[in-house]
Amino acid sequence: MRSIPDRKLSLVHGSLVTLARFFYFYSSSTVYHRFLILLISVLLASPGVSAQPLPSYAEGVPAREYEVFLRAQELNDNSLHESARVLLTELHGLLSARQALYTPFGLRVRLQLAYSWERNEQFPEAAAELLSVIGEARSLGEWQTEASARLLMALIYEQEDAPQLCLNYLTSAEKLIREHDLWELNALLAIRFASYHRFFDSMEQAEYFARLALNEATNHKQIAHQATANLLLSVIFKATDPARSQLHLEQAAALYRESDSEITSIIVSLNRCNLQLAQGSLLAALRHNDAALAILHRTRGDSSTLVEYAGSAYLQRAKILQQLGRLDSAFVYLDRARLAENEHQSNLARSRVSEIEARYRDEQQEQRIQEQAQLLQFRQKRETWMLWFILMAITSLALMAFSHFRLHRAKRDVSTQRDVIAGKNEELAGALREQQLLRGELHHRVKNNLQIIIGLLDLQIGETDEPNLRAGLESTAGRVYSIAAIHEILYREDRVGAINFYRYVEKLTDHFCSLSYANTNCTFELNIPESDFCLETAIPLGTILNELLTNSFKYGLRHAELLRICISLSVEGEEFVLQYCDNGPGFPEGELKSRGGGIGSYLLRGMVRQLGGSFRTFNRKGACCEIRFCPQAMVRETEPGPYQVAEAMQ
C-alpha cells in the first residue's frame, strides 16, 4: 500500500523526469550540459525512487478520498479510534452520496469504520455494519475483506462473552483464508484464536496459537502482529512466569520502536509501568512512565494526535508519586492530566473545523465545475434539440402530406365499401325475410297436416262404438295434438325453435277441457315459471303431459266431485322438477308398475329416457308423478318476475 508521502513523491518524480527530458531535447547547451541533464533524468527514473502502485481496490478512487482513508487507517493503527471514526464517518457520507459504498474501496472504508466502533465499544453499530460488509464482500468476491470482517465479528462476540458464536466466525474465517490462500491474514487469525482460548479454553492452547502467530508474523515481516503476539504471550505468562512476561513485553516495545509507532510505544511503556506497579516496583514503574512521557514530549511538537494518551500518562505518574508520598508533585500531574484532556478536545475540534472547511471548499469547487458542465451540456442539448426540431418539422410535414393522401384514398375506399355493404345487407335482409316466411309457412303446413290427422281420428272416433278402440283413438289424437300445438305456437310467435313452456301447457289443458269425453267440470292449477325450451325438450314433455292428462280424465273422475289437476315446474340444483298431481283415486298399487301397462306407460318411460331424466309415481290425495330432468337447451329466459327460472335456480 502506498502512503501519502509516496504519492506526493511520485508526482514530483514524474514532473522532474519530464522537465529533464524537455531540457535535453530543446536546450541549446553544450554536450556536457546535455549529458548532465540526461544523467539526472536516468537517476530520477531509477527503480529505487519509483512510487509503489495503488492497490486494486483504490483504482478509480479520488485522491482526496484515498488520502482521508489512509489517514483514518493510520489513526486506527495508532489507537486514535475516535479521530478515525470522525474521518471515516465523513468519508462514508461522501461515498453514500455518489453511491460508492458497495465498491471494494467502499467496503474497506466500512470495515475500518466498524473497527473504530468496536474499539469504542459500540458493538451494535459495528456488528450491523460488519454483517452488511460480509454479504457484499462475498457477492463482489472480496475474500480478504470478508475474512477480515469475520475476524472482527469474532472479536466482538469474544468481548460479549459468546464463545460459540466467536468460534463460529473464527472457523468460517479460517476456511476462507485456507481456500483463497490469504497468507497475510494467517498471523491475525492465530492471534484471534489465541485470544479465544485465553478467555474461553486453556492457557496452553492460547500459548500455542500466540507462538504460531509470532512465527507467522516473523516469517512475513508483519511487525505489528509480532508485537501483538508478544503482548499476548506477556499476558499469558503474567501470572505464572513474570520474568518471561517482562521479556515478551520488552520485545513488543522494541518492535513498536522499530516500527516507529509512537502510540504503540507509549501503550507498551504504560503497560510495563502497570506491571511494575502490580509487583510493587515503584522506581521501575517510574522509569517506564518517564519513557512514555519522553515520547509524548518528543512528538507533541510534530503531531497533535498523541495528546489523547497524555492524560493517561500523567494520571499514572500521579498515582506513582502518590504512593511514593510526594503528594504535591502528584497534584501537579493531576492538573497536567486535566490540561492534556482539554488540549485534546480543542485539537479534535480544530481538526473537525479544518475538515469541514476543506470539504466546503471542495464542494464549492465541485459545484462550480458542475455548473460549467451543466451550462455546456445545456448548450449542447439546445443545439441538438434545435436540430431534432427542424428534422421533426420536416418529417411531420411529409407525414401530413402522406396522411392526407392516404386519408383521401381511404375515404374513397370506405365509400365504396359502404355501398357494397349496404347492398349485401339488403340482400341478407331479403333472404332473412324469405327464410322467416318459409319457416312460418312450414310450421303452418305441418300444423294443418297434423290437424287433418286429428280430424280424421275424430271422424273415426265418431263412427266407432267399441270403448277400447274409441279410447285408443282419442289417446292417439291427443298425442298428435301435443305435437301440433308446438308448431302452432312457433307459427304464431314467429320464433326459431323456442317454445314458451307455460303457454304450451296452457294450450294442452285447454284442449283437454274441450274434448267431448271430458264432459265434466275440471280446474287446472299451473305453477310454471315462464321459460323457453328447445324442441328436443318441449316435445317429450308435451307427450308426457298428454299421457298424464289422458290418464287423469280417464281414471281420475269421481262422481259429483270437481277434477283438480296441478302442474308445477321448479328447479333443484341443476335439475328441473316437473310435478303432476290430480285429486283422483290414485294408483291402484300406490305407484305405476315398472313393467307391464299399455302404450301410455311405454311412451311415458320412453320420453323420460329421451330427456335423460328419472320419474317416480306415488299417491298423495290422488295420483302424483314427479319427473326430474336436465333440459338439453334452455333457449332464453323471459323478463324478470317472481316465477322466473333463474330465480328458482338461485
Side-chain angles (χ1 to χ4, degrees), residues 448-575:
N448 288 340
N449 291 334
L450 292 176
Q451 288 291 348
I452 291 172
I453 294 172
I454 293 171
L456 293 174
L457 290 173
D458 288 339
L459 291 174
Q460 189 66 36
I461 290 170
E463 296 177 359
T464 302
D465 295 330
E466 187 177 350
N468 292 333
L469 180 59
R470 184 182 182 90
L473 291 174
E474 288 177 349
S475 298
T476 303
R479 293 169 188 138
V480 174
Y481 181 79
S482 67
I483 299 173
I486 290 177
H487 289 280
E488 183 177 0
I489 292 173
L490 290 174
Y491 171 70
R492 291 184 181 280
E493 296 186 359
D494 194 19
R495 303 175 68 186
V496 182
I499 302 298
N500 186 288
F501 190 64
Y502 177 81
R503 285 195 287 275
Y504 179 45
V505 174
E506 189 178 31
K507 193 170 186 63
L508 287 178
T509 56
D510 291 343
H511 171 70
F512 271 88
C513 286
S514 65
L515 291 177
S516 60
Y517 70 84
N519 190 14
T520 183
N521 291 328
C522 62
T523 61
F524 291 93
E525 182 180 348
L526 303 181
N527 188 14
I528 300 173
E530 293 193 4
S531 57
D532 295 342
F533 290 128
C534 65
L535 296 178
E536 288 79 2
T537 301
I539 290 175
L541 290 176
T543 305
I544 290 171
L545 288 175
N546 178 77
E547 297 302 322
L548 294 175
L549 288 167
T550 301
N551 186 70
S552 294
F553 276 94
K554 186 175 182 181
Y555 301 108
L557 292 173
R558 295 181 180 180
H559 296 290
E561 187 174 350
L562 181 67
L563 177 63
R564 296 179 181 277
I565 297 175
C566 178
I567 303 173
S568 64
L569 179 67
S570 60
V571 179
E572 294 183 4
E574 296 182 355
E575 292 183 332

Side-chain angles (χ1 to χ4, degrees), residues 203-227:
M203 284 297 183
E204 290 78 7
Q205 288 292 323
E207 180 184 353
Y208 166 75
F209 280 105
R211 292 192 180 279
L212 180 61
L214 184 59
N215 293 334
E216 287 286 342
T218 303
N219 293 335
H220 296 103
K221 298 181 179 179
Q222 296 174 318
I223 298 176
H225 292 330
Q226 283 181 258

